[in-house]
Amino acid sequence: MKKIFLILLIIGQFAFAQNNVKQKINNKTQKDSTKVENLDEVFVTANRTATLRKETPVAISKLTTKAIDETKATSMYEIANKVPGILMVNLGNEQHEMSIRLPMTTNPYHLYLEDGLPIRPMGVFNHNALLEIDQFNLQSIEVVKGPVSSLYGPEAVGGAVNLISLKPSIDPEFKFGIQADQWGYRRIQAAGGATIGKVGFHIAGISSDQKNSWMTFSDYRKDNINTRIDYNINSKTRLISNTMYGQYYSDMSGSVNEDAFNNRTYKSTTDFTYRKSEALRTKITLEHDWNVNASSSVTAYYRDNKLGQDPSYSIKWTSGKTTATGQVNSSNFKSYGTVMQHTQKFNFLDAKLVAGLSYDYSPVTYWAYQEDLKANLNPGGTTVNNYQIVAERPDIKLANYTADIYNSAEFAQLSFKPLSKLTITTGIRYDNMKVNYNNALDNSTGTKIYDKVTFKAGANYNALDYAGFYGNYSQGFAPPGITSIFLAKPGTGGTTGVPAQFYYNLVPATFKNYEVGGWISVLKSKLYIDYSFYYMEGKNELLSIKQPDNSTDYQSAGETLHKGIEFGLNYKPSKEWAIRIGGTTSQHKFVNFILSDKPSDPIKNLNCLEMPTAPKWSGNSEVNYYPKWFPNFRTSLEWQTVGSYYEDQINTVKYQGYNIFNARIGYKYKSLEFYGNINNLTNKLYAYMVTRGNTTISLPTYTAAAPRTFLLGLQYNFSLKK
């Protein structure tokens, strides 16, 4: 930690010594993404309207079209991990979880947006939501780190990831590509669009297929299509429609035990677990510019999502036993909603007000029943070779509820400049989430209401043309996901003989975040550095307590602390070279958390212990080379590092983390592009995540990463651009 402070201090002294360096201000969106990021880059996520970086008092990063295109990713984590402060965890076949200012988690503390609109309604969080995204349809990705609940509401705690889709091109454009690796992965992708008169359109689609991979029973299929139509009614009014439809089916291979991991025996213990989904999202937005200082928009949207699964993570097995249980479940929802927003600029203090309201109605159904399984043990009886289905038990319900979720919110944000170099930003939002439920397992009906006012205040001080600083205070708010509430507690319901008990006492988690940061652009904008220091206090954070049989108990109580440093460096010494360095060092601790009040339990609390799956260090850096002597050729070397972390909540065993390298090359010849990626260049043995329970007999489970992987691709790009 001290070394990083010293490095930042030295960099700051060096930057301020460059008094002859002045950055040109042009107030235009950066179109040439080969340029180093600078203070004139425009972001839309942090303030719900286009705002210069130097007037945005939060830690925010953008991945450009060029960065996304050159990555040629098969999964979103390959792109997202390029952002300093993000660790997106690959769970296989585009399934994932996230870590932004929090440990790696599946809890509802990260908000996923598609063109500024949440992918899921509040209360129906799914940590796998980004598997529905078409990477071939992305123009850019903006990531806000830290709570933004004052603008976007619940779940925007660790951060918000906004996926901005491609807009219709002015001139006709079309691209088509194929890619494949040696492990049976194949993908076909196409996109195209044009503007004819007042109407512009863009269509993009992908079809991915995985068979007979390095991990047994890990096939998957994904098909997505996105359409966008822009109708320019006149110079001041626009009508924009977006529609996405996707289908997904994946075997759920799950994790492996320690011996299998160390021996690279990538064999799933199940041949029946799966996840399947069908998603439809459509919206239409009317935008109107009243004058140069005022604009309004109204968005109406509809969602229809069906998710069914027989999840590997729900298998309950106690060491030594030859029986186990599984679970089949289905979660379905529809959403009907609207968002209205107005932006008003004032001459007084160069002020700008963004205000609006939203309403969302989402009926939800969910059911789960038990599977009886046979556990075929390995020699010694401490690990399972494989599970087999003995019987499906729809008569043994583990959950069965319907709920109508009503989300309403009002928000406002005001920014103004009391001094020419000082921008003050304040924001406030009120959220009300009402859940009318019917729980068939205990024949109860009722209403639960979660509401909260969240606030933020921040300031930007741009002392020089090439350097600036910011500070902010922000609040986060996240009610428990409703599925957590209505799942029967371990040891109750089913065949236990104990009436089913539920998590009606779960309460919303709240967070207070304090941060300072800054940016420096020197050497004629060839070197750009940004950094942030954050300190976030959590209260009633939802925690999953893994039980000896792999079941999960939920608690929302106590206090947690999250603090760290995030930094990014972009250096472009010439047109041939581009260097990017980024990372975060952090600490996540239980401050006051009661684990158990049973006298027989050896561990009563987790006070002052580190939270599990919380690396103290993670980072992603890359060197890109575009040789003059070989035009249209590119090559890059990427380094991903993840530090050590505790596998369990009681801090007994650590996983040491990993360092891996990825290489990429590409060459464009006229309209054709040839490319190749090598992921895990050194064929390192590592796991994306390692977890274990809190008992002495608990064994670690490894989410194994792929061996060295060669990806080859061909893309055809056609354009009539003059």
Side-chain angles (χ1 to χ4, degrees):
M1 187 76 74
K2 291 181 179 179
K3 291 182 180 179
I4 294 177
F5 274 101
L6 181 61
I7 291 170
L8 291 173
L9 179 61
I10 293 172
I11 291 171
Q13 291 174 340
F14 172 77
F16 282 101
Q18 312 300 309
N19 291 327
N20 60 332
V21 179
K22 298 293 180 180
Q23 184 157 338
K24 295 181 180 180
I25 308 297
N26 55 34
N27 292 333
K28 293 182 179 179
T29 303
Q30 187 179 34
K31 294 183 179 180
D32 182 1
S33 58
T34 64
K35 292 182 180 179
V36 177
E37 183 181 10
N38 57 60
L39 303 186
D40 298 321
E41 190 163 19
V42 175
F43 294 81
V44 297
T45 308
N47 298 300
R48 298 187 74 111
T49 185
T51 308
L52 294 176
R53 174 66 184 96
K54 63 184 180 182
E55 297 175 356
T56 305
V58 296
I60 187 169
S61 299
K62 177 187 285 188
L63 291 170
T64 63
T65 305
K66 184 175 188 293
I68 296 169
D69 182 58
E70 291 187 356
T71 302
K72 304 299 185 188
T74 61
S75 187
M76 275 296 302
Y77 81 95
E78 298 173 53
I79 306 172
N81 283 342
K82 295 177 183 292
V83 176
I86 274 194
L87 180 57
M88 185 173 177
V89 184
N90 178 25
L91 300 179
N93 294 351
E94 302 192 48
Q95 300 163 108
H96 62 89
E97 57 184 71
M98 187 67 78
S99 170
I100 308 175
R101 296 195 175 180
L102 292 164
M104 295 181 277
T105 181
T106 60
N107 288 334
Y109 297 149
H110 300 100
L111 184 64
Y112 302 129
L113 304 162
E114 191 174 43
D115 295 317
L117 190 70
I119 293 176
R120 292 282 193 280
M122 303 306 167
V124 193
F125 177 81
N126 189 302
H127 62 91
N128 285 306
L130 295 185
L131 65 78
E132 298 171 5
I133 297 301
D134 177 358
Q135 302 98 310
F136 210 55
N137 190 49
L138 293 177
Q139 175 175 294
S140 61
I141 301 173
E142 294 185 4
V143 180
V144 182
K145 289 159 279 188
V148 281
S149 291
S150 62
L151 273 180
Y152 292 103
E155 298 175 3
V157 174
V161 180
N162 190 11
L163 302 125
I164 300 171
S165 56
L166 287 165
K167 299 178 176 62
S169 55
I170 301 299
D171 302 302
E173 292 184 356
F174 173 76
K175 58 182 180 177
F176 173 82
I178 57 174
Q179 57 181 208
D181 68 22
Q182 83 272 32
W183 304 118
Y185 174 82
R186 306 286 186 270
R187 188 165 88 188
I188 300 173
Q189 50 199 12
T195 299
I196 302 172
K198 293 185 175 183
V199 179
F201 67 92
H202 181 82
I203 303 173
I206 62 170
S207 180
S208 303
D209 188 61
Q210 171 76 68
K211 292 181 180 178
N212 303 318
S213 183
W214 55 274
M215 169 72 82
T216 63
F217 196 69
S218 60
D219 293 356
Y220 93 103
R221 178 68 185 254
K222 171 180 170 178
D223 298 289
N224 270 51
I225 187 167
N226 292 76
T227 64
R228 170 170 170 157
I229 300 174
D230 291 16
Y231 176 42
N232 295 295
I233 300 172
N234 54 48
S235 61
K236 293 186 176 182
T237 309
R238 300 162 297 281
L239 195 62
I240 303 168
S241 72
N242 294 78
T243 300
M244 169 272 174
Y245 177 74
Q247 292 184 333
Y248 174 92
Y249 182 92
S250 175
D251 299 335
M252 196 182 298
S253 54
S255 54
V256 298
N257 63 48
E258 190 166 29
D259 288 340
F261 173 75
N262 290 329
N263 295 327
R264 295 201 176 203
T265 307
Y266 299 121
K267 180 179 181 297
S268 174
T269 57
T270 65
D271 62 359
F272 54 85
T273 50
Y274 66 87
R275 171 177 283 119
K276 62 180 179 180
S277 73
E278 182 179 5
L280 170 67
R281 292 190 295 274
T282 185
K283 68 174 183 177
I284 187 165
T285 300
L286 178 64
E287 298 178 344
H288 181 71
D289 302 324
W290 302 99
N291 51 54
V292 294
N293 292 320
S295 61
S296 300
S297 67
V298 179
T299 299
Y301 62 85
Y302 170 74
R303 308 185 191 101
D304 187 354
N305 193 286
K306 303 177 180 67
L307 174 65
Q309 57 182 3
D310 186 337
S312 56
Y313 61 78
S314 289
I315 293 177
K316 299 178 183 179
W317 172 74
T318 301
S319 181
K321 289 192 174 183
T322 58
T323 59
T325 61
Q327 178 186 131
V328 178
N329 63 52
S330 176
S331 176
N332 307 303
F333 71 84
K334 295 182 179 181
S335 295
Y336 311 84
T338 185
V339 179
M340 292 178 278
Q341 180 173 308
H342 180 75
T343 302
Q344 183 72 49
K345 296 179 181 178
F346 303 93
N347 294 328
F348 180 68
L349 298 180
D350 199 14
K352 181 167 69 173
L353 175 68
V354 179
L357 55 88
S358 65
Y359 181 81
D360 182 291
Y361 165 60
S362 296
V364 179
T365 62
Y366 185 96
W367 54 257
Y369 64 78
Q370 182 174 302
E371 275 182 321
D372 292 339
L373 307 176
K374 179 183 178 183
N376 297 310
L377 306 182
N378 289 312
T382 59
T383 59
V384 176
N385 180 271
N386 69 289
Y387 295 99
Q388 293 177 288
I389 297 177
V390 175
E392 291 200 11
R393 301 297 303 274
D395 57 309
I396 303 177
K397 300 289 187 183
L398 305 177
N400 189 13
Y401 71 85
T402 60
D404 290 332
I405 304 176
Y406 302 87
N407 287 300
S408 61
E410 299 83 36
F411 59 88
Q413 179 170 285
L414 176 67
S415 62
F416 58 94
K417 292 184 177 181
L419 301 173
S420 61
K421 295 183 178 182
L422 177 65
T423 302
I424 304 294
T425 302
T426 62
I428 191 169
R429 175 176 172 125
Y430 172 69
D431 280 279
N432 183 290
M433 186 176 94
K434 183 173 73 171
V435 183
N436 292 339
Y437 68 87
N438 185 331
N439 187 349
L441 292 193
D442 64 358
N443 295 314
S444 66
T445 60
T447 298
K448 299 190 75 68
I449 296 177
Y450 306 98
D451 64 338
K452 182 73 174 177
V453 175
T454 49
F455 173 79
K456 81 168 186 179
N460 298 81
Y461 181 60
N462 296 288
L464 301 166
D465 289 343
Y466 54 85
F469 309 92
Y470 79 88
N472 87 58
Y473 166 77
S474 57
Q475 297 175 339
F477 161 62
I482 61 172
T483 299
S484 303
I485 299 172
F486 298 110
L487 279 176
K489 291 184 178 182
T492 72
T495 58
T496 63
V498 179
Q501 299 175 17
F502 302 93
Y503 295 93
Y504 295 129
N505 61 335
L506 293 180
V507 297
T510 57
F511 296 82
K512 296 179 180 179
N513 178 71
Y514 311 83
E515 69 179 280
V516 294
W519 44 80
I520 303 167
S521 182
V522 294
L523 302 178
K524 297 182 179 179
S525 295
K526 291 181 179 180
L527 176 63
Y528 178 86
I529 300 164
D530 66 340
Y531 55 90
S532 58
F533 302 79
Y534 70 89
Y535 184 95
M536 185 167 67
E537 299 171 330
K539 189 173 182 180
N540 297 323
E541 187 172 337
L542 180 66
L543 296 176
S544 304
I545 315 296
K546 183 175 282 191
Q547 305 301 298
D549 64 354
N550 198 46
S551 61
T552 299
D553 187 22
Y554 294 106
Q555 292 187 38
S556 59
E559 301 172 6
T560 56
L561 175 64
H562 313 270
K563 59 182 179 179
I565 305 171
E566 301 157 339
F567 65 92
L569 179 151
N570 288 273
Y571 180 47
K572 197 171 189 304
S574 68
K575 291 183 178 179
E576 290 186 290
W577 292 95
I579 301 169
R580 175 181 57 78
I581 300 173
T584 181
T585 178
S586 58
Q587 186 179 59
H588 307 277
K589 296 181 65 176
F590 297 104
V591 175
N592 178 20
F593 192 86
I594 304 301
L595 186 64
S596 173
D597 55 6
K598 297 179 182 178
S600 58
D601 287 342
I603 299 176
K604 304 293 190 302
N605 65 68
L606 301 174
N607 298 353
C608 300
L609 297 180
E610 293 184 28
M611 300 181 74
T613 63
K616 289 189 174 181
W617 164 261
S618 66
N620 184 287
S621 302
E622 191 170 19
V623 177
N624 293 272
Y625 179 48
Y626 308 89
K628 286 184 179 179
W629 54 270
F630 193 4
N632 300 317
F633 178 82
R634 62 173 173 82
T635 184
S636 68
L637 181 66
E638 180 184 43
W639 170 36
Q640 176 77 45
T641 178
V642 174
S644 63
Y645 56 84
Y646 283 107
E647 300 172 12
D648 55 2
Q649 292 170 323
I650 57 176
N651 290 187
T652 58
V653 183
K654 272 190 172 183
Y655 178 58
Q656 294 307 309
Y658 56 87
N659 290 275
I660 61 162
F661 297 89
N662 305 312
R664 300 180 177 93
I665 61 171
Y667 176 65
K668 291 183 178 180
Y669 176 74
K670 295 184 178 179
S671 296
L672 292 176
E673 180 180 6
F674 308 87
Y675 61 89
N677 295 353
I678 307 176
N679 293 333
N680 192 4
L681 183 65
T682 62
N683 199 31
K684 184 177 181 62
L685 173 66
Y686 73 103
Y688 291 114
M689 189 168 62
V690 185
T691 62
R692 70 171 71 209
N694 291 334
T695 66
T696 56
I697 63 172
S698 296
L699 299 173
T701 59
Y702 291 77
T703 302
R708 184 189 295 117
T709 300
F710 299 91
L711 179 79
L712 296 176
L714 173 65
Q715 187 166 307
Y716 173 74
N717 303 289
F718 170 81
S719 175
L720 289 180
K721 184 179 292 186
K722 298 178 182 179

